[in-house]
Amino acid sequence: MPSPTSSAPALRRPAHSVDRAFLHLERTRPDVRWDSGGLAYLSGPPPTLEELRAYIGSCLPRLPLFRSRAEGGARRSHWVTDAAFTVERHVHEVVAEGPEQEEQALDTALNTPFPSGALWGFWLVHGYAPDAYALCYRFQHACQDGSAAALAFRTLLSGGEPSARPVPRQRAGGGLPPRAARAAGLAARAAFTALTTRRRGPALPYTPTGDRRLWRGRVPLDTLRRIGATGGGSAHDAHLAALAGALSAWSARTGVPLPRVSALVPLDARRNDDEQTWGNRCFALPLHLPVRAPAATAGGRQERDVPLWRLRKVTEATARLRGEPWRQAVQDVVRFMPDRPTEWYMRGVFSSRVTDILATSMPVAEEGSLGATTVTATALLPLLLPGHLFGVGLSYFGSWADVSFVTDRALPWAEHLPRLWEEAVAELGTATTPADTE
């Protein structure tokens, strides 16, 4: 069924500087996979491919930029309506022949190249159970950041509920001088980090295959929120502290030394009046993860002190960015940063000489459904950058925090990473529980 494009008004919208940086990276580094995305796992009988194509086609009026393509040179790119757009080129299926092929079918959806000219795609994965299926959504990162992708999820599978992301309050013009100073300070700090942090990261303990794998875990969201609040931080801080603990355990099990680990953490910088369905409005900062615990003091250290130390170090590092003035500064930097400095900065922080993993998180939705079927879990598919150990995503869905690790197939002990993260969360939970309530 061809998609109904004839009634859609023609679009011509300038690409953002982050979009153009990604587009240029795609052209100059075709050996790198620049696609990101997510999965939704549903309970119930799957739709047919024709039914899914018809449904997504009916949702496109609410996602008009899904019909667009990039046009123009690297410095003058625009998103314009793609006259050749069809739903068939963007919505596919992978059929597993029984439960033993579930993993293989999901791997196919995760690694299948986009058809020529397509910038995004859905893969309906079914056949591994009579009452369960998955939807894999992938997109070129030049098209969307995580916030826009989460909105697409809510539009298609949860009735379009609003995002839970924090947005700075609108400010009067009198606040412009301090805003400009903070934005300039943030930009200078970020540039200094990208320029001066030139080190030798952990040597990859494998030869990359280019074949990505997905590993998942989950904990109750309230658990992460309680842990984060104990240290004066957030659920994301608790996640990063647990990630540091999981990396420490992974290093001990595999023998891979991790003298220093820096996570590239994307920050949502969309404003209330920004287009929410397409493009990038994000900024990313390197964050040192406290993987290696300090040496024990003369008086010794209780076992529960190390998780608390990790939580404290992460919370201290993110404290400034939790405040409204710095959220506003991130928005101002992203809004006004020119093309060349944006691309230069992205090349720097994406490099394994500056960062070792990409760690993102996103509130997805409170609930979701497709027809009579119900979304039971979600998983983010973050970028797996060259030289990085892995990409890790945390999605908040309903009452759960779902963690996903995207690794190269050859990474040793990769399948154990979610369990190590869950164990680290449990250690943090114990360490932050008052002794008289244990």
Side-chain angles (χ1 to χ4, degrees):
M1 180 189 73
S3 60
T5 58
S6 57
S7 61
L11 293 174
R12 182 175 175 82
R13 189 162 305 187
H16 188 269
S17 61
V18 181
D19 302 350
R20 289 193 286 269
F22 270 116
L23 287 168
H24 193 247
L25 287 170
E26 288 176 13
R27 295 179 183 124
T28 58
R29 290 295 306 274
D31 56 309
V32 178
R33 294 188 55 175
W34 297 104
D35 58 303
S36 186
L39 281 103
Y41 298 84
L42 296 98
S43 176
T48 66
L49 177 60
E50 291 72 22
E51 289 171 339
L52 180 61
R53 284 173 170 171
Y55 173 71
I56 291 178
S58 71
C59 293
L60 290 178
R62 288 179 287 165
L63 298 167
L65 290 173
F66 268 48
R67 297 189 182 99
S68 63
R69 59 180 174 82
E71 184 179 84
R75 305 301 172 192
R76 296 186 177 183
S77 299
H78 282 70
W79 297 112
V80 300
T81 299
D82 183 1
F85 175 87
T86 63
V87 172
E88 290 83 355
R89 188 154 46 109
H90 294 78
V91 183
H92 321 278
E93 72 175 335
V94 182
V95 182
E97 296 182 2
E100 68 282 354
Q101 289 194 4
E102 177 182 359
E103 184 177 297
Q104 178 182 342
L106 288 171
D107 287 347
T108 299
L110 189 64
N111 290 292
T112 299
F114 292 111
S116 177
L119 299 176
W120 59 271
F122 273 94
W123 281 263
L124 169 64
V125 183
H126 64 98
Y128 54 86
D131 57 352
Y133 66 102
L135 286 179
C136 177
Y137 170 51
R138 289 168 41 214
F139 53 88
Q140 291 295 102
H141 214 305
C143 303
Q144 285 187 316
D145 55 25
S147 180
L151 182 81
F153 176 96
R154 288 187 291 273
T155 299
L156 294 167
L157 298 175
S158 69
E161 66 181 66
S163 170
R165 64 191 181 89
V167 178
R169 295 193 303 268
Q170 296 293 328
R171 292 180 175 269
L176 288 179
R179 274 178 57 183
R182 279 191 294 268
L186 176 62
R189 174 186 170 192
F192 179 80
T193 300
L195 183 65
T196 61
T197 309
R198 298 297 181 184
R199 57 177 176 77
R200 189 178 185 87
L204 287 182
Y206 65 92
T207 300
T209 67
D211 191 14
R212 297 184 298 188
R213 295 293 301 273
L214 172 67
W215 314 100
R216 300 189 297 133
R218 69 178 354 190
V219 298
L221 177 55
D222 285 346
T223 298
L224 283 185
R225 285 174 171 162
R226 183 191 65 78
I227 293 170
T230 300
S234 65
H236 186 59
D237 295 324
H239 158 59
L240 292 176
L243 180 59
L247 279 165
S248 178
W250 179 84
S251 176
R253 303 288 178 86
T254 61
V256 177
L258 296 177
R260 179 180 174 88
V261 177
S262 182
L264 182 61
V265 180
L267 305 173
D268 182 14
R270 288 178 181 270
R271 303 177 303 158
N272 282 327
D273 57 345
D274 274 331
E275 171 59 55
Q276 293 292 297
T277 65
W278 209 245
N280 289 266
R281 301 291 189 278
C282 60
F283 196 67
L285 288 173
L287 177 71
H288 172 62
L289 291 183
V291 173
R292 297 182 65 189
T297 60
R301 180 194 297 109
Q302 294 182 0
E303 187 175 339
R304 61 187 283 154
D305 288 346
V306 173
L308 289 174
W309 170 79
R310 289 194 172 107
L311 180 62
R312 184 179 71 254
K313 298 297 286 185
V314 168
T315 304
E316 289 172 354
T318 61
R320 177 176 287 181
L321 291 173
R322 283 193 300 276
E324 184 176 307
W326 278 90
R327 287 190 180 278
Q328 183 69 66
V330 169
Q331 286 190 340
D332 291 336
V333 167
V334 171
R335 184 179 182 186
F336 297 111
M337 183 175 280
D339 287 354
R340 291 188 183 277
T342 300
E343 184 180 336
W344 172 85
Y345 177 73
M346 287 172 59
R347 285 183 180 276
V349 296
F350 283 176
S351 168
S352 60
R353 296 179 64 187
V354 177
T355 55
D356 308 299
I357 63 175
L358 187 146
T360 187
S361 68
M362 184 58 56
V364 176
E366 289 299 317
E367 59 184 11
S369 63
L370 180 58
T373 63
T374 302
V375 179
T376 58
T378 59
L380 301 184
L381 301 174
L383 289 174
L384 177 56
L385 295 169
H388 277 203
L389 289 171
F390 52 76
V392 58
L394 187 71
S395 56
Y396 306 136
F397 177 73
S399 60
W400 291 99
D402 291 316
V403 70
S404 55
F405 291 84
V406 174
T407 75
D408 191 276
R409 182 181 292 275
L411 181 71
W413 251 61
E415 66 273 20
H416 298 284
L417 285 168
R419 177 177 59 81
L420 295 176
W421 179 84
E422 291 172 347
E423 291 174 353
V425 171
E427 291 176 356
L428 281 165
T430 300
T432 54
T433 300
D436 57 357
T437 64
E438 291 182 344

